[in-house]
């Protein structure tokens, strides 16, 4: 995977690919085929399958502070390592050579998990070393974007041993992957040169926490509302904007910000004690959460599924308009991903007529103009 302008990760072929391997790549690729949600009695058209839903936070003040919301994912990973459920964690952290970029890392200790905690709003490819990880003895927990989990589930259909080697897959609600141009916009606004940056955090160390660039001469900061809303969200790639599963519906556990709403019902980004939304989707995920709560690693409270929309209204809106957006693709002779089993039509019925029409026409106009990245 290599960066291409304006800074998205794209595959580069380095050797001939045999037909069977090419077929496996095509079957696993989540850009072409999104893994369907498993069936069950409790499947919400926005939020996917669920066995239990909670809000909560890590009991450790340090874990809660370092994480992007309440530190739930970090606390769960630390518990999984300490109890021997897994031997390592495959995930993403800052690139030591360039802290504004991402690197695929393996953590084996609580200290390593904590050092790499926090959101990383830039291109990442956490499955690039999956073959090496699968070749190692022992079990691995994987943390990735919803599309990364989808790819792993697709591949596990072809290679069942993956489910045994990676018994725990954790994801998060995703707003889309900005290009590296998003970071460049932030650095320009902060008047910081990328070559001078020794540490870069998109958020965390508080909730939501500031975007922070550390240099030898000082620290420059920007609020989450400005960094994401004013810069990063403007650089999200087109494929993310037609994603039908931005909530990690095929993960064992998916976490998100459990934002508190303001008087108008819109999430408030004022600094406060971190709080995570935790959705257990599988028996493995539910077992891990119960064990972590029993070991006093997490404090949680149950949440009704209908309350999630108050915390994540943008994700609800995104799911409502996926049908309208993707319906415009064949009209403009663009490929349409396979998205069966993801309750897209059911979610679309909750959209207003005007919302649906605006998104259909907007997608059509932008694809015809060749400006899909600006959707």
């Amino acid at each position: 995977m290599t960066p291409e302008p304006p800074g998205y990760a794209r595959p580069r072929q380095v050797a001939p690919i045999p037909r069977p391997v090419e077929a496996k790549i095509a079957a696993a690729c989540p850009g072409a085929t999104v893994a369907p949600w498993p069936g069950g009695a409790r499947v919400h058209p926005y939020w996917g399958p669920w066995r239990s839903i909670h809000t909560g936070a890590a009991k450790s003040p340090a874990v809660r502070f370092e994480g992007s919301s309440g530190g739930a994912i970090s606390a769960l990973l630390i518990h999984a390592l300490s109890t021997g459920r897994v031997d390592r964690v495959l995930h993403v952290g800052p690139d030591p050579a360039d802290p504004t970029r991402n690197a695929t890392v393996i953590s084996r200790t609580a200290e390593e998990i904590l050092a790499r905690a926090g959101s990383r709003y830039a291109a990442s490819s956490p499955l690039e070393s999956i073959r090496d990880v699968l070749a190692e003895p022992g079990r691995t927990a994987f943390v990735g974007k919803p599309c990364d989990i989808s790819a792993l589930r697709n591949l596990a259909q072809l290679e069942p041993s993956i489910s045994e080697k990676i018994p725990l897959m954790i994801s998060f609600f995703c707003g889309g992957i900005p290009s590296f141009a998003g970071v460049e916009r932030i650095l320009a606004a902060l008047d910081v040169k990328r070559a001078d940056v020794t540490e870069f955090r998109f958020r965390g160390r508080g909730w939501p926490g500031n975007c922070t660039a550390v240099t030898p001469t000082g620290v420059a900061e920007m609020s989450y509302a400005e960094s994401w809303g004013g810069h990063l969200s403007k650089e999200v790639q087109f494929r993310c904007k037609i994603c039908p599963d931005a909530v990690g519906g095929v993960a064992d556990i998916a976490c998100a910000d459990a934002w508190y709403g303001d008087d108008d019902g819109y999430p408030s980004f004022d600094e406060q004690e971190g709080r995570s939304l935790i959705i257990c989707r599988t028996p493995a995920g539910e077992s891990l959460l119960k064990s972590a709560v029993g070991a006093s690693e997490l404090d949680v409270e149950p949440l009704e599924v209908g309350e999630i929309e108050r915390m994540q209204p943008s994700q609800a809106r995104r799911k409502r308009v996926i049908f309208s957006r993707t319906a415009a693709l064949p009209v403009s002779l663009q490929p349409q991903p396979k998205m069966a089993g993801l309750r897209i039509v059911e979610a679309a019925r909750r959209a207003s007529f005007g919302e649906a029409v605006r998104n259909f026409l907007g997608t059509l106009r932008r694809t015809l103009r060749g400006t899909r990245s600006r959707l």
Side-chain angles (χ1 to χ4, degrees):
M1 301 297 289
T2 59
E4 292 186 3
Y8 301 121
R10 297 290 182 261
R12 180 172 62 90
Q13 185 174 337
V14 296
I17 303 176
R19 284 186 178 274
V21 176
E22 187 172 5
K24 183 176 290 189
I25 292 171
C29 175
T33 302
V34 185
W37 291 343
R42 297 195 288 192
V43 181
H44 192 279
Y46 294 167
W47 316 121
W50 56 280
R51 295 175 64 89
S52 64
I53 304 172
H54 297 83
T55 58
K59 293 197 73 168
S60 163
V63 176
R64 187 175 189 177
F65 182 72
E66 291 289 332
S68 290
S69 50
I73 290 180
S74 297
L76 289 167
L77 295 174
I78 291 171
H79 181 73
L81 284 171
S82 67
T83 56
R85 286 175 179 253
V86 297
D87 302 290
R88 67 191 72 84
V89 178
L90 175 62
H91 60 135
V92 168
D95 187 340
D98 183 350
T100 69
R101 305 296 197 249
N102 293 326
T104 301
V105 296
I106 292 178
S107 294
R108 304 178 191 273
T109 66
E111 292 74 21
E112 289 176 331
I113 293 293
L114 204 57
R116 293 155 172 170
S119 299
R120 302 295 303 174
Y121 298 131
S124 63
S125 304
L127 291 172
E128 62 188 351
S129 59
I130 189 63
R131 289 298 172 199
D132 295 335
V133 172
L134 292 173
E136 288 192 44
R139 294 170 295 185
T140 301
F142 176 75
V143 184
K145 305 180 294 296
C147 55
D148 298 322
I149 305 293
S150 184
L152 205 50
R153 294 294 191 195
N154 283 341
L155 189 60
Q157 292 296 312
L158 305 173
E159 301 180 21
S161 62
I162 287 176
S163 297
E164 299 175 7
K165 298 285 289 186
I166 307 179
L168 185 60
M169 303 182 193
I170 296 179
S171 192
F172 39 80
F173 284 21
C174 181
I177 296 303
S179 72
F180 293 136
V183 175
E184 300 298 336
R185 289 170 58 131
I186 291 173
L187 294 177
L190 294 175
D191 194 23
V192 171
K193 295 180 179 179
R194 182 157 63 93
D196 295 334
V197 176
T198 58
E199 180 182 355
F200 190 87
R201 291 182 63 93
F202 287 89
R203 54 178 292 209
R205 293 182 178 160
W207 188 47
N210 287 339
C211 180
T212 306
V214 180
T215 69
T217 58
V219 178
E221 294 185 297
M222 178 183 293
S223 71
Y224 170 75
E226 184 180 356
S227 62
W228 175 260
H231 299 287
L232 295 169
S233 65
K234 311 298 184 185
E235 300 293 339
V236 171
Q237 61 184 349
F238 175 79
R239 179 60 182 80
C240 295
K241 299 196 177 189
I242 58 170
C243 176
D245 186 20
V247 298
V250 294
D252 294 302
I253 293 180
C255 294
D257 291 287
W259 300 118
Y260 293 99
D262 59 20
D263 292 338
D264 297 323
Y266 193 78
S268 170
F269 298 142
D270 295 337
E271 285 293 319
Q272 51 199 309
E273 287 292 311
R275 185 174 73 153
S276 297
L277 170 66
I278 308 166
I279 304 179
C280 295
R281 305 194 184 279
T282 68
E286 196 167 40
S287 172
L288 175 63
L289 179 64
K290 287 181 177 179
S291 178
V293 171
S296 296
E297 298 280 1
L298 280 161
D299 276 332
V300 300
E301 295 181 358
L303 183 77
E304 294 293 329
V305 68
E307 293 295 303
I308 300 178
E309 188 168 355
R310 298 177 59 188
M311 301 172 178
Q312 293 283 335
S314 61
Q315 290 289 358
R317 176 187 175 275
R318 174 198 294 260
K319 188 58 182 286
R320 286 196 302 269
V321 301
I322 291 301
F323 180 82
S324 300
R325 289 181 175 181
T326 54
L329 298 179
V331 179
S332 55
L333 303 180
Q334 296 295 322
Q336 189 179 46
K338 296 178 182 178
M339 301 181 292
L342 294 163
R343 305 292 179 99
I344 296 170
V345 174
E346 186 178 346
R349 293 193 184 106
R350 303 186 179 204
S352 69
F353 178 76
E355 189 176 44
V357 170
R358 284 194 302 274
N359 278 271
F360 176 85
L361 294 177
T363 305
L364 181 62
R365 181 174 64 252
R366 287 169 175 83
T367 52
L368 290 174
R369 291 179 179 175
T371 55
R372 294 184 297 164
S373 63
R374 300 297 180 184
L375 177 65

